[in-house]
Amino acid sequence: PVLQGASLTVSPGEHVALAGPSGAGKSTVSALLQGYLRPRSGHVSLNGVNLADAPLSWVRAQSAVVEQSTYLFSGTLRENLPPAATDAQLVEALRAAHLGDFYEALPGGLDARVGARGLAVSGGEAQRIAIARAFLKNASIMILDEPTAHVDLASEREILASLDTVCAGRTTLTISHRDATIKGADRVATLQEGTIR
């Protein structure tokens, strides 16, 4: 077991950063919150509901997640965003993710091809497309798992600015060891040797 006696409470609307060395279990916390893992002992609750008692579809609907690696489908920008959203909602989400200029410069706009696995866009742009997806999900909880791990400093600044916009008013858990990524949090919890301090 990675986590041993770990306890963390995040209040509604609070932004908590979870820091700690590689292998400490930070991504395990994210997997527990999303229902990919179930605890062998203890419990995980979202909005007062024990996840062991909740349908997986309900658990997944409670949060939007931005992971450290973003997968883009071969196809258009529109096809990489939720299909139920209107064009106006898609544009709003792209602007919230600081992709307004990017979208407006694309020949074809929403119908521009972003290439096989997103190879026509930079790593920072791909990550902000993932942020636009999270914005459109409109979940009350945001989980950011090393969202700036694979980008340069300029892209990191853009991603962090877009996250400030998208996460405003939402309960947010940022998992990272990068100082710039966690400095905007209300508080920092450190995961070390299986416990959270």
Side-chain angles (χ1 to χ4, degrees), residues 77 81 85-101 103-104 110 128 131-138 162 165-166 170:
L77 181 57
L81 295 166
T86 66
D87 283 6
Q89 289 169 328
L90 294 176
V91 170
E92 178 189 13
L94 291 169
R95 290 193 173 130
H98 290 221
L99 284 170
D101 291 343
Y103 151 75
E104 288 165 6
L110 292 169
R128 283 181 280 148
I131 292 166
R133 285 178 187 158
F135 177 84
L136 287 162
K137 188 170 182 183
N138 200 27
S162 68
T165 302
V166 170
R170 292 186 168 102

Side-chain angles (χ1 to χ4, degrees), residues 135-155:
F135 177 84
L136 287 162
K137 188 170 182 183
N138 200 27
S140 63
I141 298 168
M142 294 287 290
I143 301 172
L144 313 174
D145 192 351
E146 299 282 6
T148 60
H150 303 303
V151 297
D152 58 29
L153 289 176
S155 294

